[in-house]
């Protein structure tokens, strides 16, 4: 099968689909239009399609002419609550919602991998299954897809993440832990309100919050092995009603915990609560912590990574396949990789001019779809063929 020739013919459709998704972004579990277009496209290729998995997800199966293994291609499809300021002529038409992380490209690539294999079904051994996953940005879509059985009889999983800060044409991958577990927490602090001129009459939750914010960093610097990476970030502090002379009775802190090691993850979850409550009680108040447990760390199978590297070097050359460091960002691709061996890789989508590139989740986020999308389609297609062998 001539994969590169097929992708060249499909490239206009590939770019058009991605730009259509970009114009019409949808938030997690609201991807009604996106999933409908994907399902219609896949049914038009002759695939077996199931709609409504995990609310707005789509699963499609392409069975080859001969029996064999099963490989799952996963792509996330949701957007972010960001107002776009990229300047492209296909910018979001939905105020306050934007594809600022490349999921529009992920969905289009996976759909066109299906289009490639649909052309060569009679030469294919085994099954290629496609999971178009909702709600990655709110870490809620992967687990219900897995619970719905999308990994049943699957031998390997593959997926990619477009990366705007890596030049188009470069591929990044690493064995083992690649992306962090991401958990969110809210600290509810209660003290005693008072006049700002009479602090001795109250219990100051602003001071309490300040002490906790500083003290939490000691969990990273003094209770975590320096070679075992972790991050604790307080991102939101809410207290008072805007008055200059009132010590507020309550305060709220919102933050995130990022870890790679499961044992450290559980330890820090426990210690964040203990340390916060200890400081609050010592100051005459109290603290309660609530957790939104996110996805575990993304861990690539070393054997699958080595196989993928071999394929990628054949496509882009040895010098363009990079060993990338782990990143503290999270991704619920981990729910698939925790249950099945596979690989999740970074695909460069940035411009050679670094001033054009914006980080993910930025209003000016942009990807070079004309170069990265066909390359991503070829890399996934060839990786699938290799994994099916």
């Amino acid at each position: 099968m001539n994969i590169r020739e097929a992708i060249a013919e499909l490239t206009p459709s590939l770019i058009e689909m991605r730009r259509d998704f970009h114009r019409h972004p949808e938030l997690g579990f609201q991807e009604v239009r996106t999933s409908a277009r994907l399902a219609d496209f896949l049914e038009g290729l002759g695939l077996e399609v199931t709609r409504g998995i995990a609310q707005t997800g789509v699963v499609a199966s392409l069975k080859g002419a001969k029996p064999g293994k099963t490989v799952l291609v996963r792509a996330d499809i949701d957007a972010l609550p960001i107002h776009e300021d990229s300047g492209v002529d296909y910018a979001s038409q939905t105020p306050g919602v934007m594809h600022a992380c490349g999921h529009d490209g992920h969905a289009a690539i996976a759909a066109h991998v299906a289009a490639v294999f649909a052309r060569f079904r009679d030469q294919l051994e085994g099954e290629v299954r496609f999971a178009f996953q909702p709600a990655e940005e709110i870490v809620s879509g992967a687990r219900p897809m897995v619970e719905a059985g999308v990994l049943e009889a699957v031998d390997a999983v593959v997926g990619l993440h477009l990366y705007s800060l890596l030049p188009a044409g470069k591929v990044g991958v690493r064995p083992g832990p690649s992306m962090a577990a991401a958990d969110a927490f809210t600290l509810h602090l209660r003290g005693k309100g008072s006049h700002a001129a009479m602090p001795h009459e109250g219990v100051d939750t602003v001071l309490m919050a300040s002490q906790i914010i500083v003290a939490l960093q000691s969990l990273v610097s003094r209770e975590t092995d320096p070679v075992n990476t972790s991050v604790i970030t307080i991102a939101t502090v809410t207290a008072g009603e805007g008055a200059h002379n009132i010590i507020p009775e309550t305060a709220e802190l919102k933050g995130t915990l990022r870890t790679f090691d499961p044992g450290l993850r559980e330890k820090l979850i426990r210690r964040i609560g203990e340390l916060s409550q200890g400081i609050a009680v010592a100051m005459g108040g109290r603290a309660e912590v609530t957790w939104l447990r996110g996805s575990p760390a993304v861990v690539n199978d070393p054997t699958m990574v080595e196989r993928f590297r071999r394929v990628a070097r054949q496509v882009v050359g040895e010098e363009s396949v990079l060993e990338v460091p782990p990143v503290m960002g999270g991704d619920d691709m981990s729910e698939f990789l925790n249950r099945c061996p596979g690989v999740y890789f970074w695909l460069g989508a940035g411009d050679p001019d670094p001033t054009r590139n914006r980080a993910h989740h930025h209003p000016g986020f942009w990807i070079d779809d004309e170069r990265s999308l066909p390359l991503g389609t070829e890399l996934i297609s060839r990786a699938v063929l290799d994994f099916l062998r």
Side-chain angles (χ1 to χ4, degrees), residues 4-256:
R4 188 163 291 177
E5 184 177 291
I7 292 171
E9 294 175 4
L10 290 165
T11 293
S13 168
L14 171 62
I15 294 173
E16 183 279 326
M17 176 180 279
R18 180 260 159 171
R19 294 186 178 187
D20 177 64
F21 290 155
H22 196 86
R23 288 189 187 95
H24 304 284
E26 296 172 301
L27 298 174
F29 294 132
Q30 300 176 32
E31 310 96 327
V32 176
R33 182 186 184 278
T34 303
S35 61
R37 173 154 192 202
L38 286 165
D40 291 345
F41 179 83
L42 296 162
E43 286 175 345
L45 297 173
L47 275 68
E48 300 173 14
V49 176
T50 304
R51 304 173 188 235
I53 301 294
Q55 299 185 45
T56 47
V58 175
V59 176
S61 171
L62 190 154
K63 293 185 173 70
K66 303 174 184 178
K69 295 181 179 180
T70 299
V71 176
L72 177 79
V73 178
R74 177 267 196 180
D76 41 13
I77 64 175
D78 58 324
L80 284 155
I82 296 174
H83 189 79
E84 182 162 1
D85 186 24
S86 67
V88 297
D89 59 6
Y90 49 88
S92 170
Q93 296 178 7
T94 305
V97 183
M98 174 193 178
H99 271 294
C101 202
H103 296 188
D104 48 348
H106 304 170
I109 286 171
H112 284 78
V113 171
V116 169
F117 286 126
R119 294 187 173 201
F120 303 111
R121 188 192 299 260
D122 59 341
Q123 302 176 43
L124 191 65
E125 296 182 9
E127 176 188 350
V128 187
R129 197 175 299 170
F130 299 87
F132 294 88
Q133 179 209 308
E136 186 280 327
E137 295 293 358
I138 55 175
V139 201
S140 302
R143 190 170 298 169
M145 289 203 93
V146 171
E147 291 170 350
V150 300
L151 284 177
E152 183 178 346
V154 170
D155 297 290
V157 180
V158 62
L160 62 73
H161 203 306
L162 294 164
Y163 191 30
S164 66
L165 302 183
L166 189 67
K170 302 292 185 182
V171 178
V173 67
R174 65 175 289 109
S178 299
M179 300 182 73
D183 300 296
F185 62 90
T186 302
L187 281 167
H188 308 274
L189 308 181
R190 180 166 292 277
K192 181 181 177 183
S194 67
H195 194 291
M198 304 174 188
H200 60 290
E201 296 291 340
V203 175
D204 189 343
T205 53
V206 174
L207 182 59
M208 190 188 306
S210 303
Q211 298 282 0
I212 290 172
I213 290 169
V214 173
L216 287 178
Q217 297 310 311
S218 70
L219 298 180
V220 175
S221 65
R222 288 297 175 269
E223 295 193 24
T224 301
D225 186 331
V227 300
N228 195 352
T229 307
S230 64
V231 172
I232 298 173
T233 296
I234 298 296
T236 301
V237 181
T238 305
E241 300 296 331
H244 294 82
N245 59 352
I246 300 173
I247 293 176
E249 186 154 324
T250 62
E252 184 179 87
L253 310 178
K254 291 184 178 181
T256 183

Side-chain angles (χ1 to χ4, degrees), residues 359-388:
H360 293 243
H361 296 212
H362 186 282
F365 177 81
W366 173 91
I367 62 171
D368 185 338
D369 57 9
E370 294 185 354
R371 288 187 293 173
S372 63
L373 267 60
L375 179 55
T377 306
E378 181 172 359
L379 286 165
I380 293 281
S381 299
R382 295 192 185 279
V384 166
L385 283 178
D386 183 77
F387 295 164
L388 284 174

Side-chain angles (χ1 to χ4, degrees), residues 241-276:
E241 300 296 331
H244 294 82
N245 59 352
I246 300 173
I247 293 176
E249 186 154 324
T250 62
E252 184 179 87
L253 310 178
K254 291 184 178 181
T256 183
L257 168 67
R258 307 295 172 115
T259 53
F260 289 106
D261 179 79
L264 177 62
R265 181 189 190 192
E266 296 306 319
K267 173 187 173 182
L268 290 178
I269 286 173
R270 173 176 57 82
R271 289 293 292 135
I272 286 171
E274 290 174 348
L275 186 60
S276 301

